[in-house]
């Protein structure tokens, strides 16, 4: 069954210059990249993305981590991969959440670490199921940023508003 999955290369992955390496690993999946961009992550976006972890003792540090405050890299790379069993394939290549438990051949097992305050810096995010993937992709991307039609869209009339254009 064809599925979409949100992948984030987290700030530690960017800081460690692992982008090419991670994309190469993910390419083993033979999935198609249907969207990609760099994102400066707001507090709101980070908190919404990790809403299921609100209340955990590491939540505030996790938000700082995703926003790049721990790595002086205020950005993440967001991608959507699409294809047969995309979620399972990407989660397998990513490895377990805890980098110390992740198999050493996986992305997290190879490059992740646990900080002294206990945050798992595991270099990559991959959606964990179809419902989460849909919620996350809609959170990170506008329909026109994805080159295939993944989800039902609607036409909205945009109110007159200022936006940046090429001069
Ligand atoms: N995390 C952490 N400590 C934990 C659990 C999670 O630092 O005990 C962080 C870790 O960076 C993880 C993210 O929170 O990737 C989201 O957690 P989740 O349980 O959703 O794991 P994932 O889906 O990323 O494998
Ligand atoms: Mg998760």
């Amino acid at each position: 069954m064809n599925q979409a999955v949100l992948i984030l290369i987290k700030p530690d992955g960017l800081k460690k210059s692992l982008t090419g390496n991670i994309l190469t690993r993910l390419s083993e999946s033979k999935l198609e990249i249907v969207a990609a961009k760099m994102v400066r992550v707001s507090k709101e976006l980070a908190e919404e993305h990790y809403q299921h972890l609100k209340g955990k003792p590491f939540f505030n540090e996790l938000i700082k981590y995703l926003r790049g405050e721990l790595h002086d890299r205020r950005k993440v790379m967001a991608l959507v991969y699409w294809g047969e069993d995309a979620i399972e394939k990407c989660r397998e290549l990513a490895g377990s959440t805890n980098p110390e438990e992740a198999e050493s051949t996986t992305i997290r097992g190879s490059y992740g670490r646990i900080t002294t305050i206990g945050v798992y810096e595991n270099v990559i995010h991959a959606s964990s199921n179809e419902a989460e993937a849909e919620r996350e992709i809609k959170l990170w991307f506008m329909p026109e940023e994805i080159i295939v039609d993944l989800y039902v869209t609607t036409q909205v009339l945009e109110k007159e508003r200022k936006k940046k254009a090429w001069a």
Side-chain angles (χ1 to χ4, degrees), residues 10 50 52-53 58 62 65 91 95-97 108 118-122 124-126 128:
K10 297 180 178 181
Y50 280 137
H52 64 293
L53 296 170
F58 56 85
L62 180 62
Y65 166 39
R91 296 280 299 185
S96 300
T97 306
R108 287 168 164 179
V119 174
Y120 301 161
E121 289 185 359
N122 52 15
I124 184 176
H125 167 82
S128 54

Side-chain angles (χ1 to χ4, degrees), residues 31-86:
L31 297 166
E32 193 184 339
I33 298 173
V34 294
K37 64 178 177 181
M38 301 305 299
V39 183
R40 205 171 286 282
V41 183
S42 68
K43 191 160 182 279
E44 292 70 31
L45 175 58
E47 289 183 351
E48 193 64 33
H49 178 76
Y50 280 137
Q51 59 164 23
H52 64 293
L53 296 170
K54 241 174 225 170
K56 296 276 184 196
F58 56 85
F59 185 71
N60 286 347
E61 283 302 312
L62 180 62
I63 297 308
K64 282 193 198 163
Y65 166 39
L66 191 65
R67 297 193 67 205
E69 289 178 38
L70 309 183
H71 296 91
D72 201 24
R73 283 285 187 288
R74 304 288 165 112
K75 60 192 172 187
V76 306
M77 187 172 192
L79 305 104
V80 178
Y81 280 77
W82 186 83
E84 180 91 12
D85 297 328

